């Protein structure tokens, strides 16, 4: 029986993580290790529009450590993906090139639609349960560091999907200058999010009734 060892690397807004998996015909997919390192790439990306040298150097060092762990597990193949924290930077190509030179890793930058598709595919892996839930109004709410994606399903079909740029880390960085000048910072954040949601409800939710909600994201 052939067993393949696979590494999945996720470069996110607030941490970099790697899962080592065993894939076999008999046992399917089995997680054998999960390593994570907190690094707030979105702090640079969402405030300055690019990732600075110091943070990029830290990212490369983390990925070098990941490659060492991959060798120890004798990984057969890997996939390394980055999301909005790198996707939205002005120096994206420079970042990818430096990672390639320093670590040997080829990093794939996912578009928002690709990122969400992979998330929904994971949710739908339990096909029988998922198909049953989405027969009636269902919202999948994916909360990330850069944005919140809300997708509505009804009668076994995707009705709409919208990306709201109010991720937890993006909000913090957008309002960083305000925090030190007010004692009502939490109220300001709440008002900002409520305004986004009111617009969303008016344009997309309307009179649609939501029976089920699936929440996705490490922040939750």
């Amino acid at each position: 029986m052939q067993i393949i060892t696979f590494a999945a690397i996720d470069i996110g807004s607030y941490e970099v993580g790697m899962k080592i998996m065993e894939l076999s015909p008999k046992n399917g997919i089995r997680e054998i290790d999960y390593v994570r390192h907190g690094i707030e790439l979105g702090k640079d990306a969402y405030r300055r529009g690019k990732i600075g040298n110091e943070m990029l150097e830290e990212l490369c060092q983390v990925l070098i450590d990941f490659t060492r762990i991959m060798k120890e597990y004798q990984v057969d193949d890997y996939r390394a993906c980055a999301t909005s924290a790198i996707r939205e930077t002005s120096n994206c190509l420079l970042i990818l090139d430096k990672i390639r030179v320093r670590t040997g890793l080829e990093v794939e930058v996912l578009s928002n639609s690709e990122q969400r598709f992979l998330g929904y595919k994971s949710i739908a892996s339990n096909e029988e349960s998922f198909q049953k839930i989405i027969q009636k109004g269902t919202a999948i709410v994916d909360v990330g560091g850069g944005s919140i994606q809300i997708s509505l399903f009804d009668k076994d079909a995707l009705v709409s999907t919208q990306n709201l740029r109010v991720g937890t880390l993006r909000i913090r960085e957008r309002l960083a200058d305000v925090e030190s000048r007010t004692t009502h910072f939490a109220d300001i954040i709440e008002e900002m999010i409520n305004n986004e949601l009111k617009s969303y409800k008016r344009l997309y939710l309307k009179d649609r009734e939501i029976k089920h909600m699936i929440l996705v994201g490490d922040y939750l």
Side-chain angles (χ1 to χ4, degrees), residues 26-88:
K26 181 179 179 181
N27 300 318
I29 300 174
R30 184 173 72 91
E31 180 182 322
I32 58 177
D33 202 355
Y34 185 18
V35 291
R36 307 162 80 174
H37 177 85
I39 173 173
E40 294 187 335
L41 298 174
K43 187 174 182 178
D44 273 5
Y46 304 141
R47 181 186 289 189
R48 302 169 53 209
K50 64 179 183 179
I51 294 175
N53 289 330
E54 185 177 340
M55 194 162 286
L56 180 54
E57 183 62 32
E58 182 182 352
L59 173 61
C60 286
Q61 191 56 56
V62 172
L63 293 176
I64 288 171
D65 290 340
F66 280 7
T67 59
R68 176 182 53 77
I69 294 171
M70 288 165 62
K71 288 177 182 177
E72 290 173 357
Y73 279 104
Q74 298 182 334
V75 165
D76 298 296
D77 202 358
Y78 75 93
R79 186 178 184 185
C81 296
T83 51
S84 64
I86 289 183
R87 183 173 66 232
E88 297 182 22

Side-chain angles (χ1 to χ4, degrees), residues 2-47:
Q2 184 182 14
I3 298 177
I4 295 174
T5 307
F6 184 85
I9 299 173
D10 176 26
I11 302 174
S13 301
Y14 64 99
E15 74 170 20
V16 183
M18 178 176 68
K19 287 190 177 184
I20 307 291
M21 320 292 290
E22 278 189 352
L23 289 68
S24 69
K26 181 179 179 181
N27 300 318
I29 300 174
R30 184 173 72 91
E31 180 182 322
I32 58 177
D33 202 355
Y34 185 18
V35 291
R36 307 162 80 174
H37 177 85
I39 173 173
E40 294 187 335
L41 298 174
K43 187 174 182 178
D44 273 5
Y46 304 141
R47 181 186 289 189

